[in-house]
Each structure stands twice: as C-alpha cells, then as structure tokens.
Amino acid sequence: MARFDHDDRLGEIEARLERQDPEFARALAGGRPRRPREYRRGRAWAVLAFALVCLGTGIAIGHGLLIATGLVVAGMAGHLFDPPERRPHRPRPSQ
C-alpha cells in the first residue's frame, strides 16, 4: 500500500516539474540535465566584479560619481543573485 503512495507522490512531483520547467524535465529524462537558469549566476558575478572595480577606482581617485555608480551597480548585482520565483501564468479574467 505504501508503495503506491510513493509512486503517486513521485508522479505528482514529475508533473509539477514538467509544468514549471519543461526544458529541464526533458533534459533530466534524457540523462544530461543542465543547471536551471536561476542557478546560473555568471552574469551576476561579472556585474559584481564591475561594481567592485568602479567602487575601488572611485575611492582611490576620490571621484564621488564613480563611487555612486559602483554602489548602484552592486545593488543591481545583488538583484541578479536573487532571481524572482516562478509563478504560474494565470490568464486575467475578462470583464
């Protein structure tokens, strides 16, 4: 009896994964999945490195606008490290 419960739960997890990220589900079924997009953070690291260069250079030469740019870009990099959660698309009710 418990075996069927586990099979049903696994089926539900599989269906949810297929709905949320069909490309990852197909790759997983093929045996060679790529990391999901939200876990690939190369762009965020590059933006953070640029921010630190701007900030460090601005501090070294005493240029306020460059310091401010570094801080703003660091905030943007922080946003890239924390991607939004996927929400299912729901059609708007027509009026």
Side-chain angles (χ1 to χ4, degrees):
M1 184 82 151
R3 175 77 175 164
F4 295 113
D5 291 338
H6 291 296
D7 288 343
D8 291 341
R9 292 173 103 185
L10 286 175
E12 290 171 8
I13 292 170
E14 182 180 3
R16 187 173 1 147
L17 178 64
E18 180 67 34
R19 281 192 313 270
Q20 289 177 348
D21 196 350
E23 183 178 326
F24 180 70
R26 282 191 300 272
L28 186 61
R32 295 289 311 244
R34 290 182 64 197
R35 295 179 73 184
R37 186 176 311 146
E38 57 266 13
Y39 296 113
R40 289 183 254 152
R41 297 196 171 117
R43 186 181 313 152
W45 283 109
V47 172
L48 182 61
F50 176 72
L52 292 176
V53 167
C54 285
L55 187 61
T57 304
I59 291 171
I61 64 174
H63 195 276
L65 188 58
L66 199 52
I67 293 171
T69 302
L71 291 173
V72 169
V73 174
M76 292 168 49
H79 183 71
L80 290 175
F81 276 108
D82 187 27
E85 293 183 25
R86 293 183 179 203
R87 294 188 181 123
H89 176 67
R90 295 183 191 177
R92 292 185 176 180
S94 59
Q95 294 180 356

